[in-house]
Amino acid sequence: MFEYLWQLEPLWKVVEISVMISLLIPIAATLVWVERRMIGIWQDRYGPNRVGPFGILQPLADLLKILGKEDWVPPFSDRLVFVLAPIIGAVCVLMSFAVVPFSPSIGVSDLNIGLLFFLAMASLAVYSVVLAGWASNSKYAMLGGMRAAAQTVSYEVFMGLSVMGVVLLTGTFNLREIVLAQTDGWLIQTQFVGFFVFLIAGIAESHRLPFDLPEAETELTAGFHTEYSGLKFALFFLSEYLGVTLISAMSVVLFFGGWLMPEPLASWLPPLFWFILKISFFVMFFILLRTSLPRPRFDQLLSFGWLVMLPLALLNLLVTALLRLGGII
Amino acid sequence: MVEVDLSLSKDWQMSSPIAIIDEITAVAHDLKLSPVTAIENIVDDIPTFWVDKSQLSALMQVVRFDLAQPFEMCFDLCAIDETERQHKASHVSDFTVSYHLRSYDRNLDVRIKVALNKTDKKLASVCRFWVNANWYEREIWDMFGIVFDGHPYLCRILMPNTWEGHPLLKTHPARATEMEPFTLPPDQQDIEQKALQFDPEVWGMKRKNKNTDFMFLNLGPNHPSVHGAFRIVLQMDGEEIVDCVPDIGYHHRGAEKMGERQSWHSYIPYTDRIDYLGGVMNNFPYVMAVEKLAGIVVPDRAKVIRIMTAEMFRILSHLLFYGTFAQDIGALSPIFYMFIDREKLFGIIEAFTGARMHPSWFRIGGVAQDLPKGWDTLVRDYVNYLPKRLDEYEKMVMQNSLIKKRSVDVGAYTTQEAIDWGVTGPGLRATGFSWDLRKQRPYGGYDQFDFEVPLGHKGDCYDRCRVRVEEMRQSIRIIEQCLNNMPEGPYKAEHPQTTPPDKARTMKDIDTLIPHFVNVSWGPVIPAGEVAMFVEATKGIMGYHLISDGSTMSYRTRIRTPSFAHLQMLPLISKGQMVADLIATLGSVDYVMADVDR
């Protein structure tokens, strides 16, 4: 009877995917609470601490509130696109998680071109913001959408270039193999510049302060999601927080050895936990950034990208290639 | 430790009230200027004279350009409906328009008055002499229906476009009970909303040029960064601002009209809410003006208490500015730390006055109460606490390279532009022009205190912030001197017209009981006359121009607020900026809409 087990494999994948989605979404929701609580602490105040112990049930309360809101589509908007935009965003981020290797045994897909898949999904996610800005047919939303388009298109370039060093050194686009290639030492040792560019581009991709220009609430009220409310607004929020998690996960996978840890530490906790710990570290970093930095101006952001980030990424790639050719690394 | 002796204190007085008339007539012989008469009883010593309306333009030409040291700033412009005035001179007609001009070179103000008949409410506009007369003339038209010939675009400014009548006319009802109940049926609502729609052509703006269609963005009246109900319509090419039209009046409460139906005493709480971040700083010019009219001399202790609390409110206001400015640029955290500092200081204010933001604590003749026991410990703790916090913010905000990038050379104007547009306060000092009313024209005992006037040099957003930060340190210095030199003595003058009147002997003799009863129930009767008093408030120079007709209420209350002038110059500084720069500029100007609209 065992020869038919292979037929169950697709079923097993479906289970894995559903488990992952049903975990990721609550995680993203909890992240909202974590962020508000951490920012509160860093700003010498409490943050949400009423619902449940330490306010941990706040996401649930938020969810209930958001479900109870009127699902309003402005009459002046392009209805179909307006509804589609937040879905595109959430789907793209969730799809990217498919290629993330969580631990030696967990991971939806070991796609050969995992890294490229991630980059492609990140590019597609721009449509969410741009279409939202366009379909809202409101001026603030359009300005936000315009900013998002310019910002994401430029930072995508550096993001792609920054990880090429990793690909050069590991010789693969498969994320699981990239992690395994770091068994002897994390890539951050040689790819520090690449990591720096990747992280900044990642913040820009996820529209977080200091790169939150598409929504810049002090300038554009709420930018691209000005007209959104209820569940559709929640979807934008969800994709933002999933985006934060994704960028953190990718930083860990590409530069910090994924689930790998040096030996004395590795045996203390299962690999999955190490992976989660590392991700949490970066997520906290994202939150801390938000509390501490002001926002650059739109043109300053773009010129910083093209004048600093692009040369850095290129230089990194060039030096890596040279060193590789010389057999030094 | 600095010794402060208030008994040596002397308020600043203008020199040569008559000489200026001679100087003007020496330049232009055919000008007929008549000096004020005794019946007008103008008790501030601002040189004042009347001119016939036919000669107004000629006089303004002389005053603005032909004099050796011209009056380069139009400080204030107001009108008075004289139709119900009892004590008026023979040359006063139905309306008076009063021009308050200032020369910084002379450190002299001058007040020019023009009488208007109600059958001919027309006057030549002075916009070509002072650009900032624009809004003031619009306000006068809005409030009194006086038409200014040659004004670029005379329209409503504080009242809605659909308003009928001119509110500051004595014939206009002052109480809701004098009017029909307010209703807003749907069709009327549609009309009101239509009236709010922006029509670029009316403002002489084009919808497109050869290459681009402009976007008209309606920023406000509700927007996170306009700090109140303020609307600014932007004409944009992409994200660059081509032109803009500020639209105010959404916060108009008719504070000046209220002054005409509140007793001299009961108007004090209204003043608190003019610049609602300024607290007692707003009471200051008002009570000084009433005291000047009534001839009340404030005891030294009250003077020092006033200065101390006023400086506390300067810190409170500047701290809020500091935080919101950083927040407008996108830094989320500083405001929370600064609110903690404000909270501590509000605690002290509360211990003194029982209230926090709007204590209404100054009284005609002094302050409401003596300081509570142990006040000095509270204040000393704070004086030791704040400078350390300011040092932290220095690193967090002022040294932050992103903040510098966003604010250095952004929204800059020169000293000349600032004077042309009537800018006062930190906004003027940020351009490098050292002019602080507390130094140049000391009032209320400030001349005895040792402090410096912080200056910027570029007049950009960063400098405006920098000046305010340093002013907080100077305020701390002043508060410390108050703390160490608090004189003993009464906290309110012994004078029948102080409020509330002295009660100590009311139950012993009838001669005290009657004035007490009358002054409490009706309020004091202030002698007929006119006065304008100014203070260096948190945002610039704020002042009250009061006219008393010898009654328990003011005949005309004119409030000169700094923010009004500051907002008017926005189109000048915002042209060519990006939207984000405009937000930084708005933050750095530090206006309060209640202060603008009154």
Side-chain angles (χ1 to χ4, degrees):
Chain A
M1 63 179 282
F2 290 107
E3 60 265 35
Y4 296 108
L5 255 184
W6 63 269
Q7 287 177 331
L8 283 178
E9 203 193 318
L11 193 66
W12 170 241
K13 276 291 166 215
V14 170
V15 171
E16 198 175 357
I17 289 169
S18 350
V19 168
M20 198 155 286
I21 289 181
S22 55
L23 279 179
L24 275 174
I25 290 174
I27 283 175
T30 319
L31 214 55
V32 180
W33 172 76
V34 171
E35 166 159 53
R36 289 177 59 192
R37 208 62 223 270
M38 291 315 288
I39 289 187
I41 289 166
W42 280 319
Q43 290 177 342
D44 283 1
R45 55 192 178 86
Y46 288 116
N49 64 348
R50 299 281 123 172
V51 195
F54 305 107
I56 188 123
L57 295 181
Q58 185 69 35
L60 203 66
D62 287 345
L63 184 74
L64 284 178
K65 184 194 77 173
I66 260 171
L67 283 175
K69 292 233 166 179
E70 184 185 354
D71 189 25
W72 189 67
V73 179
F76 45 81
S77 67
D78 184 338
R79 204 186 160 85
L80 177 72
V81 186
F82 188 83
V83 176
L84 216 55
I87 301 175
I88 295 178
V91 167
C92 287
V93 185
L94 280 174
M95 293 272 276
S96 305
F97 275 101
V99 291
V100 176
F102 286 83
S103 80
S105 51
I106 305 173
V108 176
S109 165
D110 291 335
L111 203 58
N112 268 342
I113 48 158
L115 187 54
L116 290 181
F117 183 80
F118 157 75
L119 290 174
M121 283 298 138
S123 315
L124 279 180
V126 189
Y127 280 102
S128 154
V129 177
V130 174
L131 290 179
W134 179 254
S136 298
N137 197 11
S138 116
K139 290 171 183 172
Y140 286 117
M142 196 178 93
L143 284 173
M146 248 159 58
R147 285 180 174 193
Q151 172 179 327
T152 325
V153 165
S154 11
Y155 276 77
E156 229 168 56
V157 176
F158 326 132
M159 187 188 253
L161 282 174
S162 66
V163 294
M164 285 311 129
V166 173
V167 176
L168 256 176
L169 292 180
T170 55
T172 174
F173 280 111
N174 184 321
L175 291 173
R176 186 171 295 277
E177 285 172 22
I178 288 179
V179 174
L180 291 173
Q182 301 180 57
T183 318
D184 301 329
W186 299 349
L187 282 169
I188 182 70
Q189 298 167 8
T190 48
Q191 285 300 306
F192 184 76
V193 179
F195 167 68
F196 172 74
V197 176
F198 177 82
L199 192 69
I200 289 181
I203 301 166
E205 291 272 326
S206 54
H207 313 133
R208 300 273 305 175
L209 247 171
F211 298 133
D212 67 337
L213 285 97
E215 40 183 294
E217 74 267 25
T218 52
E219 292 156 26
L220 305 180
T221 61
F224 64 90
H225 59 62
T226 306
E227 306 293 338
Y228 281 86
S229 62
L231 212 54
K232 291 196 281 295
F233 170 74
L235 270 183
F236 275 121
F237 236 69
L238 183 78
S239 30
E240 179 180 326
Y241 284 90
L242 281 177
V244 170
T245 322
L246 179 67
I247 297 295
S248 310
M250 290 305 289
S251 312
V252 173
V253 166
L254 294 173
F255 301 98
F256 290 86
W259 64 81
L260 296 171
M261 271 315 258
E263 198 25 66
L265 295 170
S267 48
W268 293 357
L269 284 175
L272 182 65
F273 278 78
W274 280 118
F275 190 62
I276 291 173
L277 270 181
K278 287 185 196 172
I279 290 180
S280 315
F281 175 80
F282 280 101
V283 170
M284 287 298 161
F285 176 72
F286 269 79
I287 297 174
L288 186 58
L289 264 189
R290 182 168 169 208
T291 55
S292 42
L293 285 182
R295 182 189 304 124
R297 207 171 55 208
F298 183 50
D299 56 326
Q300 290 168 345
L301 181 79
L302 289 190
S303 53
F304 174 72
W306 291 103
L307 298 178
V308 180
M309 302 280 282
L310 182 66
L312 262 183
L314 283 174
L315 202 69
N316 175 53
L317 185 60
L318 205 69
V319 171
T320 312
L322 284 176
L323 291 179
R324 185 74 179 168
L325 276 179
I328 299 169
I329 45 177
Chain B
M1 196 192 286
V2 189
E3 288 289 325
V4 177
D5 184 4
L6 262 285
S7 58
L8 303 173
S9 160
K10 200 171 172 310
D11 284 356
W12 179 83
Q13 282 187 323
M14 292 211 196
S15 55
S16 65
I18 295 298
I20 185 70
I21 298 186
D22 296 342
E23 200 182 326
I24 293 170
T25 39
V27 175
H29 306 285
D30 48 345
L31 284 179
K32 275 210 178 55
L33 309 176
S34 35
V36 288
T37 48
I39 195 167
E40 287 170 67
N41 187 26
I42 299 183
V43 292
D44 55 21
D45 35 31
I46 300 173
T48 308
F49 49 88
W50 292 79
V51 67
D52 189 73
K53 64 181 266 193
S54 59
Q55 288 193 320
L56 181 73
S57 290
L59 171 67
M60 291 307 184
Q61 171 71 29
V62 173
V63 170
R64 174 70 182 90
F65 296 111
D66 299 351
L67 284 182
Q69 287 169 312
F71 289 83
E72 69 269 63
M73 179 157 138
C74 173
F75 183 70
D76 192 18
L77 220 154
C78 70
I80 303 129
D81 178 356
E82 309 271 16
T83 46
E84 288 177 13
R85 195 160 168 191
Q86 307 292 318
H87 304 79
K88 66 177 172 186
S90 56
H91 47 256
V92 178
S93 184
D94 300 324
F95 290 93
T96 304
V97 177
S98 166
Y99 297 83
H100 187 151
L101 311 173
R102 170 172 290 175
S103 163
Y104 282 112
D105 292 339
R106 297 166 188 256
N107 193 12
L108 183 73
D109 287 12
V110 70
R111 193 187 284 131
I112 298 170
K113 291 190 160 195
V114 185
L116 283 180
N117 197 293
K118 66 178 158 201
T119 53
D120 185 24
K121 285 160 76 175
K122 265 192 184 163
L123 199 57
S125 164
V126 294
C127 284
R128 60 197 167 103
F129 304 113
W130 295 276
V131 274
N132 68 328
N134 188 323
W135 275 21
Y136 289 109
E137 288 183 348
R138 275 175 69 190
E139 188 187 344
I140 292 178
W141 180 79
D142 197 357
M143 293 294 151
F144 293 91
I146 295 171
V147 177
F148 290 90
D149 284 331
H151 186 282
Y153 183 48
L154 203 61
C155 62
R156 295 269 179 198
I157 184 166
L158 294 179
M159 305 305 287
N161 285 325
T162 49
W163 191 265
E164 281 166 26
H166 301 283
L168 280 181
L169 293 180
K170 289 287 173 186
T171 50
H172 196 278
R175 293 167 194 271
T177 48
E178 295 167 20
M179 305 162 93
E180 292 284 302
F182 177 77
T183 52
L184 189 62
D187 53 330
Q188 183 61 28
Q189 191 179 343
D190 290 344
I191 296 172
E192 299 282 350
Q193 286 194 340
K194 210 162 216 146
L196 281 175
Q197 244 163 29
F198 182 75
D199 184 5
E201 277 83 12
V202 171
W203 291 91
M205 290 171 153
K206 292 209 171 73
R207 284 187 190 270
K208 54 176 145 190
N209 67 8
K210 251 199 337 261
N211 307 317
T212 29
D213 288 358
F214 296 120
M215 178 199 250
F216 288 92
L217 184 69
N218 200 1
L219 201 93
N222 287 311
H223 184 280
S225 294
V226 293
H227 301 274
F230 168 51
R231 174 185 178 202
I232 178 164
V233 183
L234 306 175
Q235 180 187 27
M236 298 203 301
D237 178 4
E239 277 216 29
E240 193 183 305
I241 296 163
V242 181
D243 204 347
C244 71
V245 177
D247 180 19
I248 63 170
Y250 296 93
H251 212 309
H252 180 62
R253 296 145 296 164
E256 294 184 4
K257 186 82 177 174
M258 287 177 200
E260 295 172 16
R261 63 171 173 78
Q262 292 291 331
S263 77
W264 296 100
H265 172 62
S266 63
Y267 189 60
I268 295 176
Y270 288 91
T271 64
D272 273 53
R273 286 141 180 92
I274 298 302
D275 164 9
Y276 52 67
L277 298 175
V280 299
M281 187 72 95
N282 297 282
N283 307 156
F284 212 159
Y286 176 73
V287 294
M288 279 205 312
V290 179
E291 283 155 6
K292 190 110 181 172
L293 267 178
I296 302 173
V297 179
V298 181
D300 289 349
R301 185 171 174 90
K303 278 185 177 173
V304 179
I305 296 177
R306 279 182 180 182
I307 287 177
M308 183 168 71
T309 45
E311 290 304 323
M312 283 178 178
F313 269 99
R314 191 187 308 282
I315 294 176
L316 285 168
S317 172
H318 282 3
L319 272 176
L320 185 78
F321 157 82
Y322 205 0
T324 49
F325 175 63
Q327 195 181 33
D328 284 343
I329 294 182
L332 296 177
S333 297
I335 184 135
F336 288 99
Y337 306 126
M338 290 162 193
F339 259 80
I340 294 171
D341 303 342
R342 294 185 79 221
E343 211 51 34
K344 281 191 202 287
L345 193 48
F346 274 135
I348 300 175
I349 296 283
E350 198 177 353
F352 285 9
T353 68
R356 292 156 61 82
M357 281 185 79
H358 305 129
S360 318
W361 200 52
F362 290 3
R363 292 290 182 271
I364 299 167
V367 292
Q369 285 165 304
D370 207 348
L371 295 171
K373 260 186 199 158
W375 67 275
D376 46 339
T377 341
L378 290 175
V379 178
R380 195 172 305 281
D381 285 349
Y382 197 78
V383 163
N384 293 331
Y385 160 84
L386 189 66
K388 282 181 226 136
R389 298 281 284 196
L390 288 178
D391 291 343
E392 277 180 38
Y393 304 147
E394 184 72 21
K395 268 183 245 153
M396 192 191 308
V397 182
M398 298 311 283
Q399 306 299 341
N400 185 308
S401 59
L402 271 176
I403 292 217
K404 279 188 179 166
K405 261 203 163 149
R406 285 289 307 276
S407 59
V408 174
D409 292 326
V410 169
Y413 50 77
T414 63
T415 306
Q416 192 52 50
E417 282 168 337
I419 292 173
D420 286 347
W421 287 90
V423 175
T424 50
L428 178 61
R429 294 190 284 274
T431 64
F433 188 61
S434 174
W435 213 89
D436 187 317
L437 201 74
R438 294 172 294 172
K439 283 279 184 203
Q440 308 298 325
R441 302 177 182 180
Y443 55 88
Y446 268 111
D447 54 338
Q448 295 304 312
F449 287 87
D450 183 30
F451 63 98
E452 271 148 47
V453 179
L455 295 181
H457 64 286
K458 279 180 169 172
D460 54 11
C461 294
Y462 188 78
D463 278 4
R464 285 196 282 277
C465 188
R466 161 68 63 212
V467 166
R468 286 187 173 85
V469 173
E470 296 308 319
E471 274 187 9
M472 281 193 269
R473 293 184 192 273
Q474 296 303 325
S475 291
I476 284 284
R477 268 179 77 185
I478 297 175
I479 292 174
E480 201 171 5
Q481 289 166 45
C482 292
L483 181 63
N484 295 329
N485 297 282
M486 182 63 72
E488 292 299 318
Y491 58 89
K492 203 159 75 191
E494 266 194 52
H495 190 283
Q497 273 152 338
T498 56
T499 57
D502 187 23
K503 205 183 173 181
R505 282 173 304 154
T506 44
M507 292 300 154
K508 304 221 163 63
D509 62 275
I510 190 82
D511 297 328
T512 326
L513 182 62
I514 290 174
H516 181 268
F517 179 76
V518 169
N519 277 356
V520 167
S521 50
W522 295 346
V525 173
I526 301 294
E530 182 172 345
V531 69
M533 290 303 273
F534 300 93
V535 296
E536 185 71 44
T538 57
K539 297 173 175 58
I541 295 176
M542 161 187 264
Y544 280 76
H545 181 175
L546 300 177
I547 295 177
S548 168
D549 204 20
S551 122
T552 54
M553 292 182 281
S554 137
Y555 184 79
R556 170 88 170 96
T557 306
R558 164 70 189 169
I559 311 170
R560 196 275 174 192
T561 55
S563 304
F564 186 81
H566 296 169
L567 275 197
Q568 190 178 181
M569 81 177 302
L570 268 184
L572 175 83
I573 43 183
S574 62
K575 267 176 205 167
Q577 286 187 327
M578 310 273 280
V579 181
D581 289 338
L582 175 77
I583 303 300
T585 309
L586 286 179
S588 72
V589 166
D590 186 24
Y591 56 88
V592 156
M593 283 320 288
D595 197 38
V596 179
D597 295 341
R598 285 152 284 139

